[in-house]
Amino acid sequence: MSERFPPFELPEPVSVLMPVSNEADVIATVVQEWAEEVFQYLPQGSEMVFDEAASTDGTREILAELQVKYPYIKVFSRDKKDGFANAARRLYKLATCPLIFFTDSDGQYVAKEFWTIASFIKDYDMVRGAKVGRKDPFGRRFSSFIFNKAVHFLFSISYDDINCAFHLIRRPLIEDLLPKLNIMETLINSELLLRAEISNYQIKQCYVTHRMRLFGNSRGLPSYRFVFDSLKAFNGLLRIKASYRVIDFTSKDQG
Ligand SMILES: Nc1nc2c(ncn2[C@@H]2O[C@H](COP(=O)(O)OP(=O)(O)OP(=O)(O)O)[C@@H](O)[C@H]2O)c(=O)[nH]1
Ligand SMILES: [Mg+2]
């Protein structure tokens, strides 16, 4: 007997958000996977939104072709690349649906696992992926490990993959917290999770698969950047913690 797929229906439309830059080798496969495994089962009004930046490899043209086949695709292009975090911030602002899903466009996540994440959303404000069997170079995995431990140490919370880019969020959480994401320059999804946790939103962690990059190169960093970025990330954590101390102090003063 075959199992029903998807296992349930979502009552509300979803904005699936993806930043993309120079992913021509893989973007058509990624969109097709999402169309077959996810979008054909989503409620009317759902949308797939791309922030496309400065692609020179044909990504923009491929997305234009895909828009004809899949009318729920929306593409916002710019000629200058200004980084993952700015792209993510724009996407969160552009989303129009009550449920907001964010992921990378490089095909390392498995579209079907959207349903694993979505199965928890009725009881939570945010459902976060955590990569298992992560297919990243050792340096990236090591710095993530240290970062996750630093968060645990500073905030007394335990997540296995603070900066994972595979999560589903209820719109009010984004509307509340997006204007406050102003400290972590690159790790915007980490800051979102931390501020959601500190603001007592209900959050569920869920393990997800991470595949090898089939095409393209991993964004490896030169070692001086690696050290600099790690220090900046740690400093960001301290500043987020300090920003809540100030708020606590002020509210007590006023209370
Ligand atoms: N719009 C936009 N998208 C970007 C930018 N930088 C990266 N991306 C996209 O964001 C996603 C994540 O990119 P990265 O952070 O470079 O990749 P990663 O998954 O962390 O690392 P690797 O896959 O190992 O390179 C990918 O789908 C990229 O195409 C940017 O400046 N602008
Ligand atoms: Mg990747």
Side-chain angles (χ1 to χ4, degrees), residues 161-173:
D161 190 3
I162 309 283
N163 203 42
C164 186
F166 198 80
H167 52 228
L168 184 59
I169 308 167
R170 291 193 173 277
R171 183 175 195 82
L173 184 154

Side-chain angles (χ1 to χ4, degrees), residues 85-86 88-90 92-93 126 128 167 169 173-196 199 239-240 244:
N86 285 324
R89 198 183 305 276
R90 278 191 296 272
Y92 285 128
K93 279 189 195 147
M126 177 194 252
R128 295 279 305 196
H167 52 228
I169 308 167
L173 184 154
I174 285 289
E175 284 172 355
D176 174 20
L177 295 183
L178 192 60
K180 299 173 187 160
L181 304 182
N182 48 21
I183 289 186
M184 298 297 244
E185 269 174 43
T186 51
L187 305 175
I188 185 172
N189 285 324
S190 300
E191 186 169 352
L192 178 63
L193 175 61
L194 284 175
R195 291 197 185 273
S199 308
R239 285 177 57 206
I240 292 173
Y244 283 94

Side-chain angles (χ1 to χ4, degrees), residues 126 128-130 144-145 147-149 151-152 157-163 193-194 196-197 201-207:
M126 177 194 252
R128 295 279 305 196
S144 268
F145 175 79
F147 185 69
N148 293 332
K149 291 286 171 209
V151 168
H152 180 61
I157 53 171
S158 263
Y159 286 93
D160 295 312
D161 190 3
I162 309 283
N163 203 42
L193 175 61
L194 284 175
E197 180 72 41
Y201 282 103
Q202 296 301 305
I203 306 166
K204 165 87 181 160
Q205 174 178 274
C206 218
Y207 291 111

